[in-house]
Amino acid sequence: MDNNRICRLFGIEHPIIAGGMVWCSGWRLASAVSNAGGLGLLGAGSMHPETLREHIRKTKGATDKPWGVNIPLMYPEMDSVLGIIEEERVPIVFTSAGSPKKYTRWLHDRGIKVAHVVSSSKFAIKCEEAGVDAIVAEGFEAGGHNGREESTTMTLIPQVRKATTLPLIAAGGIASGQAMLASMALGAEGVQMGTVFALSKESSASDAYKQACTAIDEGGTMLCLKKIAPTRLLRNGLFNRISEAEARGANADELRQLLGAKASKRGIFEGDTENGEMEIGQIASDIKTIDSVEDIMNRITTEYKETKQRIITL
Ligand SMILES: Cc1cc2nc3c(=O)[nH]c(=O)nc-3n(C[C@H](O)[C@H](O)[C@H](O)COP(=O)(O)O)c2cc1C
């Protein structure tokens, strides 16, 4: 596929990144994506530091291709995690949910490549100032935590493209070669996909979560929790209780109480599909089967090439 700046930066064959995802992105998923020529990321957000170390070591044993770790910057034990990143010689880190200024220099000083996730051009400019190597611009179609701006990928990518010259990765609502090509047409040089890999065989999410997410129709997810952190969720019992509370003006503390402890673990990992927090993206309504990473990567790269060819002859 395209040997572009993203491929060269990370040393990968296809400019396809599997976003780090809480309760989904363990060593099986990360190594399978890397082995298929993309970039697999471990999702540190749901791992205790020593669990992360274990997943890093298993990833090293399962692939000799490039891979990386996603660290949401609100992670409570940042010092321990950074110690492990350094000791285990992690080559690539994708940071999210915080300021890129905080750790980029520290990571660069250790020879680690850094990409940062943003939801607006304003934050993309901050990434450029912080000296990151690449930007992930994520539209609010995406599963999980989202930007307050509610910018779609279609509107976000061209504006971030104009705002920065850095290598640009599009995310949010992308699960096909067609959508990947569209992202490239808008100015991206790579794509980060979450939902499609969360619902793969290698994802560590529960079967109940995968079944529930592949059963939804259009409109089956919605953004909520703007008073805490805007999050796209499947519309289950918990979601209904949250939106009722939001409609009557519940404050952040009440919403936190309603969510309860470990809400995303309950929904994604333990498979309590009615009362757990079911983070998933809009594009889940277009995913009806639970496939292996190899099949997903083959499908997307084939669709990409065929669609590119078709567009040329239009
Ligand atoms: C279940 C789930 C958990 C996620 N957890 C994280 C996370 O821990 N850190 C992060 O930066 N992004 C997280 N994301 C976002 C993904 O990394 C990715 O950017 C996003 O899913 C892309 O949009 P898509 O879902 O439409 O493919 C999560 C997404 C999902 C679906």
Side-chain angles (χ1 to χ4, degrees):
M1 204 183 261
D2 300 338
N3 177 24
N4 63 18
R5 289 199 294 175
I6 293 296
C7 291
R8 289 194 294 277
L9 175 64
F10 298 128
I12 53 179
E13 188 187 345
H14 308 302
I16 297 175
I17 292 122
M21 293 176 285
V22 290
W23 306 114
C24 299
S25 304
W27 68 274
R28 279 195 185 83
L29 178 56
S31 61
V33 173
S34 292
N35 281 333
L39 182 70
L41 299 181
L42 293 169
S46 53
M47 297 181 189
H48 291 297
E50 284 310 317
T51 310
L52 175 64
R53 191 194 296 281
E54 192 187 319
H55 280 267
I56 289 173
R57 291 191 174 165
K58 285 185 172 159
T59 306
K60 286 177 185 169
T63 185
D64 52 11
K65 303 269 180 64
W67 52 277
V69 175
N70 164 248
I71 312 176
L73 295 176
M74 77 275 205
Y75 191 91
E77 294 170 274
M78 209 53 198
D79 288 349
S80 312
V81 158
L82 290 175
I84 288 169
I85 297 284
E86 183 173 23
E87 283 158 29
E88 296 293 333
R89 299 182 177 279
V90 171
I92 299 163
V93 168
F94 277 47
T95 51
S96 54
S99 167
K101 291 208 172 108
K102 226 166 164 189
Y103 298 105
T104 300
R105 164 84 60 85
W106 188 93
L107 293 162
H108 275 166
D109 285 348
R110 283 147 188 88
I112 298 167
K113 290 183 180 128
V114 183
H116 188 76
V117 184
V118 300
S119 58
S120 71
S121 302
K122 190 174 97 190
F123 287 119
I125 291 165
K126 287 193 195 305
C127 285
E128 188 135 22
E129 287 164 5
V132 305
D133 301 295
I135 294 175
V136 180
E138 190 189 67
F140 96 123
E141 300 94 325
H145 290 182
N146 268 310
R148 290 182 186 281
E149 307 82 4
E150 300 197 5
S151 297
T152 59
T153 305
M154 191 80 161
T155 59
L156 179 64
I157 301 306
Q159 296 185 73
V160 174
R161 181 67 298 163
K162 280 182 210 146
T164 163
T165 56
L166 281 174
L168 176 59
I169 299 160
I174 305 164
S176 67
Q178 288 86 342
M180 179 173 170
L181 188 66
S183 308
M184 304 306 228
L186 294 173
E189 296 149 277
V191 288
Q192 171 165 298
M193 305 186 195
T195 291
V196 70
F197 289 120
L199 302 178
S200 70
K201 284 189 178 150
E202 288 86 347
S203 155
S204 54
S206 62
D207 284 341
Y209 165 87
K210 295 179 194 175
Q211 296 296 346
C213 292
T214 48
I216 64 168
D217 294 321
E218 288 168 38
T221 71
M222 247 182 201
L223 195 75
C224 61
L225 295 171
K226 270 191 152 182
K227 285 184 183 157
I228 306 176
T231 312
R232 180 168 296 284
L233 297 180
L234 182 142
R235 295 167 66 180
N236 63 356
L238 178 65
F239 170 85
N240 291 334
R241 291 195 291 281
I242 291 169
S243 48
E244 277 161 29
E246 288 181 329
R248 65 175 147 76
N251 63 26
D253 279 347
E254 289 173 75
L255 293 171
R256 269 189 212 101
Q257 224 168 2
L258 202 55
L259 266 177
K262 303 192 171 150
S264 60
K265 181 179 188 189
R266 226 165 44 234
I268 303 171
F269 195 66
E270 294 169 356
D272 183 349
T273 58
E274 263 313 287
N275 301 305
E277 192 183 357
M278 298 278 284
E279 297 182 19
I280 197 70
Q282 282 188 337
I283 199 65
S285 62
D286 197 30
I287 300 168
K288 296 292 165 212
T289 53
I290 297 157
D291 298 328
S292 69
V293 164
E294 193 184 354
D295 286 349
I296 292 169
M297 289 290 287
N298 282 338
R299 173 178 64 77
I300 291 171
T301 50
T302 306
E303 286 169 350
Y304 180 83
K305 279 184 216 138
E306 287 177 359
T307 309
K308 201 170 172 183
Q309 204 53 45
R310 181 169 60 79
I311 297 286
I312 290 169
T313 55
L314 271 183

